[in-house]
Amino acid sequence: MNIQQLKYFIEITQTRNLSSAARNLFVTQPTLSLSIKKLESELNTSLFVHTDEPFQLTNSGAYLYEKGMDIVEQFDQLIADMHQMNERTEKKRIKIGLTTLFSVQFMKEISTFLQTHPYIDLSIVQDGSPELQSKLKNKEIDIGLISFPNNHPEHITIEPLETTTKGYNVYVVIPESNPLSQKDELTFKDLKGQRFSSLSTKYMIGRLLLERSRFFGYEPDIVLQNDDLQVLIHSLQKNDSICLLPIEYQVVGKSDDVKWIPLKDKYAHFPIGIGLRKDFNLTPDINDFIQAIKQN
């Protein structure tokens, strides 16, 4: 006897009609008749009394029906439980937007989150903060670690981070052979006439260079534009150029014969925060991710 035979028997018993039972089970009547005959043969007993009233149970049939109902219920519950277990073990995807710098700064917290949430498939999208804000607004990512200012306040919110990493500070990276390398700090006025290797306007610093240079009355001479921070650093000697980068990147962006000099400007500090869409329903897993980031 198998579970399918038992289900066929129970359906016939409940409907007392072979045609109705076949329709409910999506099988043919001959299939049901053959299944019952085989079941009776295997159990060596009659399950139904052959009377004018169809499908009346024998004592054996009544016993099989009573016990069989429990067996089928337990079997169906077992299948449901297995499906739920599979659903729980399936990877849930979270798409997070990060800049290259933030990937470095928060890698420990991200790794800890993944260790404690092995069922999460964390998809990391790297780009500049302006682009990540647009991706967040357009629902291309679920959450972002992004810089202020908020370019889309009608669509997204940015919660400032009150952690050891609250933002980044812009420095001028300059070859030691450049006379400006002897300065203790530099302003945009000092940078007039310099050649620049620069991030694109996908990044806040790329926008800062254009906007503040123009504010001080000149167009920056950009000889190289690249969004790879290492490429920018290593281009300085070859191109006789300077670049603006976060000082926080210095620990990984090492290069010989260059100096990192503070940029004195009221916009040289960029606070960062956790960006979410205003219409986004915060899931428990994403809330856990936010709490992990706040441990920085």
Side-chain angles (χ1 to χ4, degrees):
M1 178 177 66
N2 58 46
I3 196 71
Q4 186 180 58
Q5 289 174 311
L6 194 53
K7 287 186 174 183
Y8 285 175
F9 165 71
I10 289 172
E11 186 65 30
I12 293 172
T13 301
Q14 291 177 339
T15 60
R16 295 188 179 183
N17 183 287
L18 199 63
S19 177
S20 296
R23 184 171 59 252
N24 293 343
L25 293 167
F26 300 99
V27 297
T28 64
Q29 292 186 37
T31 297
L32 279 186
S33 297
L34 183 62
S35 176
I36 295 302
K37 288 180 181 178
K38 186 177 180 181
L39 182 58
E40 288 180 326
S41 176
E42 291 174 356
L43 297 176
N44 194 28
T45 186
S46 296
L47 300 175
F48 296 105
V49 180
H50 299 287
T51 64
D52 293 337
E53 189 172 355
F55 300 107
Q56 289 295 304
L57 293 173
T58 62
N59 289 336
S60 297
Y63 181 80
L64 179 62
Y65 177 74
E66 179 183 354
K67 299 298 182 182
M69 286 286 288
D70 292 337
I71 293 172
V72 168
E73 183 178 349
Q74 291 174 12
F75 179 82
D76 289 343
Q77 186 60 53
L78 174 63
I79 297 299
D81 290 344
M82 293 300 294
H83 285 164
Q84 288 181 5
M85 288 179 65
N86 288 336
E87 289 174 2
R88 286 195 294 269
T89 56
E90 286 179 359
K91 291 277 188 178
K92 297 180 181 178
R93 172 167 288 193
I94 297 177
K95 296 186 73 174
I96 175 174
L98 291 171
T99 66
T100 302
L101 174 63
F102 300 160
S103 296
V104 173
Q105 289 179 310
F106 291 93
M107 188 51 62
K108 177 182 177 182
E109 288 73 27
I110 293 172
S111 297
T112 299
F113 171 78
L114 289 174
Q115 289 171 8
T116 56
H117 296 71
Y119 57 89
I120 293 294
D121 178 10
L122 194 65
S123 176
I124 295 179
V125 177
Q126 285 196 337
D127 215 325
S129 285
E131 291 296 305
L132 292 175
Q133 289 190 28
S134 296
K135 287 181 181 351
L136 187 60
K137 182 193 74 169
N138 297 330
K139 302 182 179 181
E140 297 174 43
I141 57 176
D142 301 311
I143 182 174
L145 277 177
I146 49 184
S147 307
F148 286 89
N150 186 344
N151 298 329
H152 307 283
E154 68 279 13
H155 297 290
I156 69 174
T157 61
I158 306 178
E159 177 191 353
L161 275 178
E162 297 297 331
T163 64
T164 55
T165 304
K166 297 181 180 179
Y168 57 92
N169 299 283
V170 182
Y171 272 51
V172 183
V173 188
I174 187 167
E176 291 181 348
S177 58
N178 190 310
L180 291 182
S181 67
Q182 304 306 310
K183 296 272 190 177
D184 293 328
E185 61 182 21
L186 292 166
T187 67
F188 275 101
K189 285 184 179 180
D190 297 324
L191 303 184
K192 184 177 180 179
Q194 294 293 314
R195 292 158 55 90
F196 290 90
S197 295
S198 176
L199 291 164
S200 73
T201 53
K202 290 182 178 181
Y203 287 77
M204 292 297 189
I205 293 179
R207 296 187 178 194
L208 176 73
L209 173 61
L210 292 177
E211 292 171 2
R212 295 302 284 166
S213 295
R214 290 166 181 171
F215 177 83
F216 285 100
Y218 64 94
E219 191 70 22
D221 181 15
I222 299 175
V223 297
L224 173 69
Q225 192 173 74
N226 196 292
D227 290 335
D228 187 314
L229 279 63
Q230 277 300 114
V231 169
L232 292 178
I233 293 174
H234 289 289
S235 75
L236 301 183
Q237 298 285 354
K238 179 180 179 181
N239 293 323
D240 187 25
S241 58
I242 66 175
C243 67
L244 304 182
L245 290 177
I247 183 60
E248 290 77 9
Y249 187 72
Q250 185 182 25
V251 293
V252 292
K254 295 181 179 179
S255 181
D256 296 331
D257 303 321
V258 299
K259 291 185 67 175
W260 295 68
I261 301 175
L263 176 65
K264 185 180 179 182
D265 188 84
K266 64 180 179 179
Y267 297 113
H269 172 75
F270 285 92
I272 66 174
I274 297 170
L276 292 167
R277 289 190 307 277
K278 288 187 175 180
D279 63 352
F280 185 74
N281 292 321
L282 196 64
T283 66
D285 293 321
I286 291 183
N287 186 63
D288 288 348
F289 178 80
I290 292 173
Q291 297 309 313
I293 292 299
K294 289 181 177 180
Q295 299 304 309
N296 181 280

